[in-house]
Amino acid sequence: MTYCVAVRVDQGLVMLSDTRTNAGMDNIARFRKSFTYLVEGERAITLMCSGNLSITQGVKATLSKAIKDARLDPDVETILNCSTMHRVAQIVGDAMRAMQTRYRESIEMGGSGASASIMIAGQRRGGKPRLYLVYSAGNFIEATEDTPFFQIGEHKYGKPILDRIIKRETTLEDATKAVLVSMDSTLRSNLSVGMPLDLTVIPTDRFDFRVRTRIEADNEEFAMISQSWSAALRKGFEDLPNVLD
Amino acid sequence: MTYCVAVRVDQGLVMLSDTRTNAGMDNIARFRKSFTYLVEGERAITLMCSGNLSITQGVKATLSKAIKDARLDPDVETILNCSTMHRVAQIVGDAMRAMQTRYRESIEMGGSGASASIMIAGQRRGGKPRLYLVYSAGNFIEATEDTPFFQIGEHKYGKPILDRIIKRETTLEDATKAVLVSMDSTLRSNLSVGMPLDLTVIPTDRFDFRVRTRIEADNEEFAMISQSWSAALRKGFEDLPNVLD
């Protein structure tokens, strides 16, 4: 399983993913699910992947191949040189559709699922910060003011805190705390989501990453967030009014 | 959808269910999912149902028919006169299996799902408080010290708070607050779970209900819990340590 969450607020974009992959409960591995792309001062993009790993790795390989080819032939369109973030989503969607067309039938014949989804968060100079969610069919949706965050994978445990906190006016600082708390709740309730975590933060109009880091299991800041949140919940719970006479 | 939660702590049993039923998003109705059975001073039992409504109503009708028949013929075994809570679970499981045998194939031919599950919480004089979860196949499991609560239906949103709070030593008061908070989180995040709620509390060795009430949408105590919890989360969130430098 997987848990990835991406938030778009006025101040920018925050993305967090876990790293656990499993093919059944007895075959657990660690794979990075967040991937960053940077053209300094021009565009910063994070992709986060969930679902069939061979499909999402194939999509990534397609994107990377194009970037490599563009070094020799600048006419090759890539997510690093295309004109808009919307076009980035289309390119990722096209790569997704190509992978699905190629493998879906044979994967499903083997009894596995080929579904996958990819979140794209980023901003290019001249555009606004954008957040997209690409589905298996290659189609995609964009986060709007009404829906300022997307989740993929094991999303339910960590949704209540996001529903309560995240609005477009939420600060980048608070959005970062909120995704960490959301992940903390998910880690506690579902064994198939696991540390370490990958966190990226892209402030509005910086066209660069403010944070692009891996949070290991022994990370003190995350432990502090986790413990403070536990303590706050316990305190808040103790302070609730009595309901039995 | 549905959300039902049942907790077994040393001090007794707490059960809470919503009342929303839907066959698709455009066909929403209200049905009671909690049903109580009382032989004063001898046994108190709550059943909570989720899944295919025709199946669970059929199970309940079977149980009621037996109770009625036993008035004329005391040899008829019912959930009110059988020897143990374990036997109650068997009787419910047998009724479930009979309904599945009768209807499952035809229900599935029509494209619907026939799955259902029923939680049974109660205590009879001479026995301990027990909590069982009966599956579609009629088999069942019992809550143990390691797993002091069961949830059926839309369980994920409301699980983190239960994971944090509920232990066997938790008081009946705290267990009641915890299921209300758990329901509150679920109501906020999933439209297909809805008010009013049915709450029952069976204290250990009382063989009676301490609480057997419907919580309507305008209930002031529930609103207080909901608001206090919101405020506590917001306060706790504000007090979290900063993570961006």
Side-chain angles (χ1 to χ4, degrees), chain B residues 28-109:
Chain B
I28 287 180
R30 184 195 288 192
F31 280 96
R32 176 178 285 275
K33 297 164 190 175
S34 283
F35 305 92
T36 58
Y37 300 85
L38 179 66
V39 181
E40 232 167 286
E42 202 281 322
R43 72 182 62 190
I45 300 172
T46 299
L47 298 192
M48 294 197 294
C49 306
S50 81
N52 186 295
L53 185 64
S54 70
I55 294 284
T56 57
Q57 285 189 342
V59 171
K60 239 167 30 71
T62 308
L63 304 179
S64 300
K65 169 105 177 27
I67 291 169
K68 208 170 154 193
D69 290 350
R71 285 187 205 136
L72 300 172
D73 176 1
D75 284 349
V76 175
E77 190 183 34
T78 76
I79 62 170
L80 293 187
N81 67 18
C82 66
S83 57
T84 62
M85 281 302 301
H86 188 267
R87 184 67 193 135
V88 171
Q90 280 183 340
I91 291 172
V92 173
D94 288 350
M96 172 72 88
R97 212 166 30 159
M99 287 299 295
Q100 294 285 350
T101 304
R102 184 169 183 142
Y103 291 113
R104 186 170 197 104
E105 205 179 337
S106 51
I107 290 173
E108 289 182 343
M109 260 165 49

Side-chain angles (χ1 to χ4, degrees), chain A residues 83-148:
Chain A
S83 56
T84 62
M85 283 301 300
H86 188 266
R87 183 68 193 137
V88 171
Q90 280 183 341
I91 292 172
V92 173
D94 288 349
M96 172 73 88
R97 211 165 30 157
M99 287 300 295
Q100 294 286 348
T101 303
R102 185 169 182 143
Y103 292 112
R104 186 168 197 106
E105 204 179 337
S106 52
I107 290 174
E108 289 181 344
M109 262 167 48
S112 297
S115 291
S117 50
I118 298 180
M119 289 199 286
I120 305 164
Q123 186 184 11
R124 54 137 192 130
R125 188 173 286 275
K128 291 203 164 69
R130 301 283 188 186
L131 170 58
Y132 298 95
L133 172 53
V134 178
Y135 297 108
S136 292
N139 58 331
F140 54 87
I141 57 172
E142 185 184 357
T144 62
E145 287 172 21
D146 291 331
T147 310

Side-chain angles (χ1 to χ4, degrees), chain A residues 154 163-164 189 230 234 243, chain B residues 163-164 173 189 230 234:
Chain A
E154 183 55 278
D163 282 335
R164 286 174 195 272
S189 290
S230 266
R234 190 155 289 280
V243 285
Chain B
D163 282 336
R164 287 174 195 270
E173 173 68 49
S189 290
S230 265
R234 190 155 288 279

Side-chain angles (χ1 to χ4, degrees), chain A residues 154 156-157 163-164 173-174 177-178 181 184 188-189 210 228 230 233-234 237 240-244, chain B residues 154 156-157 163-164 173-174 177-178 181 184 188-189 210 228 230 233-234 237 240-244:
Chain A
E154 183 55 278
K156 293 189 179 182
Y157 300 114
D163 282 335
R164 286 174 195 272
E173 173 67 50
D174 279 356
K177 285 191 223 173
V181 167
D184 182 52
R188 277 171 189 268
S189 290
R210 174 161 168 195
S228 303
S230 266
L233 290 185
R234 190 155 289 280
F237 188 82
L240 287 182
N242 278 353
V243 285
L244 301 183
Chain B
E154 184 56 276
K156 292 187 178 183
Y157 300 114
D163 282 336
R164 287 174 195 270
E173 173 68 49
D174 278 355
K177 285 191 225 174
V181 168
D184 182 52
R188 277 172 188 268
S189 290
R210 173 162 168 195
S228 304
S230 265
L233 289 186
R234 190 155 288 279
F237 189 82
L240 287 181
N242 278 352
V243 285
L244 301 183

